[in-house]
Amino acid sequence: MNVIPKFALIGLVAGAALVSAPVFAQSAVPGHPRVNEVNGRLDNQQNRIDQGVANGTMTQKQAARDETHDANIARRESADEARHGGHLTKAEQNRLNRSENRNSRHIYRQKH
């Protein structure tokens, strides 16, 4: 029976944490206005979705769809930031904003 020694497993986990830490730190650039604007809009849309589910104007299925779209936007934002050292270009911000506008309209229509 192959059993990985406990210390080897702990070493693998610690090594993975050290390697992935710079990736997570790279996307956290406080004060970059384009990143902050996109993240603020995503947070606002999540609050609107939560509010719609709480007051019964949206179903869980509708909320899940909208959250999936927001997660896709956040994933694209992270990829864009990784390419530019934690920043977004104006074109990337515009593209993300168009996606957010589309999802925002869909949230509004579902709630009204």
Side-chain angles (χ1 to χ4, degrees):
M1 178 164 41
N2 286 338
V3 177
I4 298 175
K6 188 186 291 188
F7 294 112
L9 185 59
I10 291 172
L12 287 172
V13 171
L18 290 173
V19 170
S20 64
V23 173
F24 291 118
Q26 186 179 29
S27 66
V29 178
H32 190 270
R34 292 184 190 133
V35 173
N36 292 341
E37 190 251 345
V38 171
N39 289 336
R41 290 195 64 192
L42 287 171
D43 290 341
N44 182 40
Q45 287 187 7
Q46 182 60 52
N47 291 337
R48 290 173 58 211
I49 292 168
D50 293 341
Q51 179 189 25
V53 171
N55 67 19
T57 57
M58 288 180 75
T59 66
Q60 286 287 13
K61 186 175 179 180
Q62 291 169 327
R65 179 212 171 269
D66 292 331
E67 287 172 345
T68 300
H69 283 241
D70 281 346
N72 182 32
I73 293 168
R75 182 186 52 76
R76 290 177 13 218
E77 176 195 13
S78 294
D80 291 342
E81 287 179 57
R83 280 193 295 272
H84 301 289
H87 298 279
L88 292 174
T89 65
K90 190 66 173 170
E92 291 166 343
Q93 179 192 21
N94 289 339
R95 185 174 46 85
L96 292 170
N97 275 331
R98 277 193 303 275
S99 296
E100 288 176 341
N101 290 342
R102 189 176 312 114
N103 200 32
S104 180
R105 282 190 302 272
H106 194 264
I107 293 168
Y108 176 83
R109 288 182 194 128
Q110 289 174 343
K111 289 177 67 175
H112 292 92

